[in-house]
Amino acid sequence: MLRVELQGSGPLVSTSHGSGAWGRHYMHVGRPTRPRRQQQARATTTPSFGESVKRVAKQVQGALPLVGLFSRLLSPSGGIGKDMLAYPEFCRATFDLAPDNFLTICTELQKAYGKPADRRYILLYLWMAREGGGMVPSKPIMSSAKRLRVTQDMEIEIDRFEMARAQIAEKYSYMERPRGKPQEQINVAVDALTRLVPGTGDAEAIPQPAASLIEELVTGAWADIPEAGQMAEQAVATHPQRADDYK
């Protein structure tokens, strides 16, 4: 839903979608209000208010990444998966589409396992799995999760992933770029998040409460897929079987 109101120096545009922490966003657009004399002089050439609203909305939708993001998410052919999203865009979209308790679950995992399971890191590897699964090899994503626990340098891990993704996407400039199946992406997400849990090896079953929390987080990040819950449950159960894939 897009709402435009005249307030202060320009129209106030808001988008509303979902009830999560990122459910409402406000942006000021437009030029400063002209003096009344100039406005009266231009009255004969100024379009109607309704036309102005439509024009501003269209301009904002194309120019601002956040509004354009919600347009893509709501489009019949879109969804998160249609375009390559940057990490901040993915976080906004995930909080908007996931259940209301998604942030609470992130916090619970962080409280249970400390700094290595920081909620920013959780979102980082959900993003890598969703955006890179099936296109970027999964082994570098696992290596990244292992490094991050030590270095805590998100910026360099984001740069490495985006460079790898861009190099592969460049080969598909004029054709559909490869994407992993949802189950493949969810497997990568579960395995990467497990590496944020101290003391858990690739060939070991995921301990509780990590297993349940990771399953809920992955399900929430793929909330647009009805079977995501079953896929996440399967990925958690079969986690030890994929250990050799990352050697």
Side-chain angles (χ1 to χ4, degrees):
M1 177 178 66
L2 182 63
R3 177 167 57 87
V4 180
E5 300 174 354
L6 291 181
Q7 177 177 330
S9 61
L12 176 67
V13 178
S14 68
T15 65
S16 178
H17 180 68
S19 56
W22 291 89
R24 295 185 64 84
H25 305 274
Y26 296 90
M27 293 155 284
H28 284 284
V29 296
R31 299 178 179 178
T33 303
R34 293 179 178 274
R36 182 173 301 177
R37 182 176 302 174
Q38 293 185 19
Q39 288 181 336
Q40 292 175 349
R42 294 171 58 89
T44 57
T45 60
T46 301
S48 67
F49 177 75
E51 293 175 350
S52 298
V53 169
K54 292 180 181 178
R55 186 180 67 252
V56 170
K58 186 174 182 180
Q59 290 174 346
V60 172
Q61 182 176 350
L64 296 179
L66 184 58
V67 178
L69 167 65
F70 284 105
S71 175
R72 294 199 301 270
L73 291 175
L74 294 173
S75 65
S77 61
I80 293 177
K82 181 67 176 178
D83 301 299
M84 293 198 301
L85 300 182
Y87 172 67
E89 283 185 321
F90 173 82
C91 292
R92 293 171 186 145
T94 299
F95 277 118
D96 226 51
L97 294 177
D100 292 342
N101 65 341
F102 183 83
L103 180 58
T104 301
I105 300 170
C106 288
T107 303
E108 289 179 7
L109 189 65
Q110 181 176 341
K111 286 182 178 179
Y113 297 101
K115 183 64 176 177
D118 187 289
R119 61 188 179 187
R120 295 173 303 164
Y121 305 165
I122 294 170
L123 287 163
L124 178 64
Y125 291 103
L126 290 175
W127 168 64
M128 287 188 182
R130 180 118 198 192
E131 284 294 300
M135 182 171 68
V136 177
S138 56
K139 186 175 179 179
I141 296 176
M142 299 304 138
S143 299
S144 172
K146 187 175 182 179
R147 280 194 307 268
L148 187 64
R149 285 177 49 182
V150 178
T151 65
Q152 300 180 10
D153 191 341
M154 285 183 58
E155 183 176 358
I156 192 170
E157 300 303 338
I158 290 174
D159 287 345
R160 284 173 170 167
F161 174 79
E162 288 188 331
M163 287 177 62
R165 183 178 65 168
Q167 289 175 356
I168 296 172
E170 188 176 359
K171 301 176 182 179
Y172 298 88
S173 300
Y174 302 101
M175 64 184 74
E176 183 72 17
R177 65 187 175 91
R179 295 198 63 85
K181 297 179 181 179
Q183 185 66 69
E184 295 173 341
Q185 296 175 342
I186 286 174
N187 288 348
V188 171
V190 167
D191 296 344
L193 294 185
T194 301
R195 290 206 167 193
L196 301 180
V197 176
T200 304
D202 290 336
E204 301 174 2
I206 306 174
Q208 292 292 355
S212 297
L213 294 173
I214 288 174
E215 183 178 325
E216 289 187 73
L217 288 169
V218 172
T219 301
W222 275 261
D224 56 320
I225 299 178
E227 302 83 8
Q230 297 175 356
M231 294 180 180
E233 182 180 3
Q234 178 180 342
V236 169
T238 58
H239 164 72
Q241 301 175 16
R242 294 186 292 276
D244 291 340
D245 296 344
Y246 309 132
K247 291 182 179 179

